[in-house]
Amino acid sequence: MEKLEPARLQFNTVGEPYSPIFDDVYHSAYGGPAQSRHVFLSGNELPQRWQGKQRFVILETGFGFGLNFLAAWQAWRDDPAHCQRLHFISFEKHPFSASDLLIAHARWPEFDEISAQLLEHWPALTPGIHRLYLNQGQLILTLIFGDAASQLRAVNAAVDAFFLDGFSPAKNPELWSPYFCKGLTRLAAPGATLATWTVAGQVRAALSAAEFEVKKVQGFTGKRQMLVGHFRSRRPDRHPAPEERRAIVIGAGLAGSTTAHRLAAAGWQVTVLEQTPAPAMGASGNIAGMLRPLPSADDNRLSRLTRAGFLATRKLLDTLPGVRCSSCGVLHLARESEHEAQQRRTADTLGFPPEVMQFVDRQAASDKLNWPVEHGGWWFPEGGWVQPASFCHSLLESFPKHITVHCNVAVDRLKHSENSWQAIAADGQTLAEAPVLIMASGVAAPRFAQFNWLPQVSARGQVSHLPVGETPALDIVVCKLGYATPAVDGYQLAGATLAYEDDGADERVADHRENLAKLNLILPGFAKTIVPESLSGRVGFRPMSPDRLPIVGRVPFAIQADNNTRLHEIPRQPGLWCVQGFGARGIVWSALMADLLVSQLEGDPLPLENDLVDAVDPGRFMVKGARRATVEADAS
């Protein structure tokens, strides 16, 4: 993994914003808003081309100060005929901090209002994709912090207009290479256009070879010419929007509630069916759960997914004032000295901003806990705890005109006929019907015929409730093999056990004893006076996937794949989707996975890199199973 290197605001001798890394000025800043409007908006025939459309997608190759984005946002906002949703995707290898952007944007007071909104939502400077919902969710900015030359292939989108803006071909040739231009071809929607300030011969040749018809037109002020182009191919739209926006969601836990909320925000009518008397009474029913990422030195898929999920959940929580939660911070203590050294190296290697993650030594950790500990660990200042039930209720109540919740409803089976899915009760009654059905019922999913292939297992977990006053107070969440929270509703929580092939719902003293042992391991002597037999708690059953990653996407037919089968070739059941396999990370996964699924349904740009989308695809188990069987056969 390449560490993200933020940009620093600097100016050259004539006062132009300047990048010492590329030894070049920021072109969009040089000409100001008028240049952005002339080159990138008019060059792509905007605002005319987005008018009357439901969705329009712009991709920019260099965000810089965000001037092109602000100009596009302003033009879209001021256009009474604008598209319903504008997606703006932009890459930035060296992003600026919000404080530097604030200084830079002061040069353009006409953008003060929207600049303030952008900076309020500006993400932490960590690698990967960051999605910002602006203008009441109608304007979606997808920022990719990383090198566009390598990250372009990670994007899944149908782009209507390309803003080819970056440092000059002589200073940054990778962004103008034939290989990069062919990457634009993969993303181009029917009728896509492009515009750029450069007319360099190698750029024209590369774009022409990539199926773009290009021509020189009048440039901006002192620059005589610029380049515009359109996509020659007549291939069909590979990302069509749905014809009808109605869906059934089975399950009102975190997975189902966030999915219903995201669907409703996109204008869908959603019927949620829940078998218990109220939302969040299953695995999402604990008094509180932990919210934090799980880093790794190599920034592997689990690390990237938990970081993206953590950041997405935090942003969603900011929009839901009714949720009971606390950003008190999470301290992940090292198990022993070698693990502590590994944690320190990981923090140094990743180099994340201090608000995302820090390494703290033993003394600093002890100070945060007001309790002596043996080792330091990772400190996540913006982590904390969330009460899942309040989260689910707030999500489901946010769009009352779009979400209908039916509780105490037991779905016996699913039926597909023509272009519609039906959820049917044991007595044959049709409980709900819609073109799209999304399974989010946790451990119950495999009992439905369409999901009996799902390699998901139920994991029993018991949390112990420690009455306030029986242990010292905790101000933060702490974890190491187990976890403990500050007081919530009169209890500090300690847990949790993990047992497979165990469907016993009864509380067990042995499990309380195990949780206390973990707590005393985390904080030596912290709970030494507590008698396990005196405790109450809660038992839940978590849906675990074999690889500990979520299971999200279109549901495949249960086919027998072979060693040559590729993921995208697996046939899918029409209109059937799932949001499953969250395990113990429902709070971390839910917002991000709901965004992914709804973006797939809508044909919108995806909020995750392609390799991470594939990593959570339900069809991955069929591909892996076929390859594993081939290896075993070869070895026999």
Side-chain angles (χ1 to χ4, degrees), residues 141-166:
L141 172 60
T142 302
L143 289 166
I144 300 106
F145 288 164
D147 190 349
S150 59
Q151 291 302 305
L152 186 69
R153 62 178 177 269
V155 173
N156 188 321
V159 177
D160 299 295
F162 293 95
F163 291 8
L164 302 185
D165 193 19

Side-chain angles (χ1 to χ4, degrees), residues 147-341:
D147 190 349
S150 59
Q151 291 302 305
L152 186 69
R153 62 178 177 269
V155 173
N156 188 321
V159 177
D160 299 295
F162 293 95
F163 291 8
L164 302 185
D165 193 19
F167 296 107
S168 71
K171 304 290 186 179
N172 191 17
E174 292 83 3
L175 282 194
W176 308 96
S177 70
Y179 177 80
F180 186 82
C181 292
K182 287 184 184 298
L184 304 179
T185 303
R186 177 181 65 84
L187 299 173
T193 62
L194 64 83
T196 179
W197 49 268
T198 183
V199 292
Q202 71 266 32
V203 174
R204 300 199 312 273
L207 290 170
S208 181
E211 298 188 65
F212 287 95
E213 193 75 42
V214 297
K215 64 178 180 179
K216 298 176 184 178
V217 296
Q218 178 66 43
F220 177 73
T221 60
K223 187 162 176 37
R224 189 167 60 89
Q225 294 177 316
M226 55 176 271
L227 206 64
V228 298
H230 67 270
F231 190 46
R232 290 194 299 261
S233 173
R234 297 184 180 275
R235 69 188 181 199
D237 186 357
R238 296 169 297 169
H239 298 264
E243 296 180 1
E244 193 174 1
R245 289 180 168 82
R246 289 189 301 113
I248 302 166
V249 175
I250 299 182
L254 283 167
S257 298
T258 47
T259 299
H261 177 272
R262 189 71 249 140
L263 284 166
W268 287 62
Q269 294 296 323
V270 188
T271 301
V272 180
L273 303 179
E274 170 57 48
Q275 63 180 347
T276 64
M281 293 190 69
S284 300
N286 286 349
I287 293 176
M290 180 168 50
L291 175 61
R292 57 95 191 226
L294 186 62
S296 67
D298 61 351
D299 208 24
N300 59 30
R301 289 178 177 179
L302 179 62
S303 174
R304 291 160 60 202
L305 278 166
T306 56
R307 181 172 72 250
F310 166 74
L311 295 172
T313 296
R314 278 196 48 80
K315 286 187 178 297
L316 179 57
L317 288 170
D318 288 342
T319 71
L320 300 168
V323 180
R324 296 191 61 202
C325 59
S326 172
S327 298
C328 57
V330 175
L331 181 60
H332 182 157
L333 292 172
R335 298 184 298 271
E336 23 71 11
S337 297
E338 184 177 344
H339 186 222
E340 182 180 38

Side-chain angles (χ1 to χ4, degrees), residues 522-542:
I522 299 169
L523 304 171
F526 191 80
K528 63 183 179 182
T529 63
I530 296 182
V531 178
E533 289 80 3
S534 69
L535 294 179
S536 64
R538 189 177 187 280
V539 175
F541 297 89
R542 298 165 291 197

Side-chain angles (χ1 to χ4, degrees), residues 54 132 136 142 161 192 201 252 270 280 315 355 394 448 523 525 530 571 584 594 619:
Q54 183 175 354
L132 283 62
Q136 289 77 52
T142 302
V270 188
K315 286 187 178 297
E355 67 269 22
S394 186
F448 293 95
L523 304 171
I530 296 182

Side-chain angles (χ1 to χ4, degrees), residues 59-77:
L59 184 144
E60 177 187 45
T61 53
F63 189 79
F65 294 117
L67 179 56
N68 295 334
F69 169 68
L70 293 172
W73 183 357
Q74 186 183 68
W76 174 83
R77 187 191 61 176

Side-chain angles (χ1 to χ4, degrees), residues 151 153-154 301 304-305 608-616:
Q151 291 302 305
R153 62 178 177 269
R301 289 178 177 179
R304 291 160 60 202
L305 278 166
L608 277 174
E609 297 90 335
N610 284 326
D611 67 317
L612 296 183
V613 175
D614 291 347
V616 303

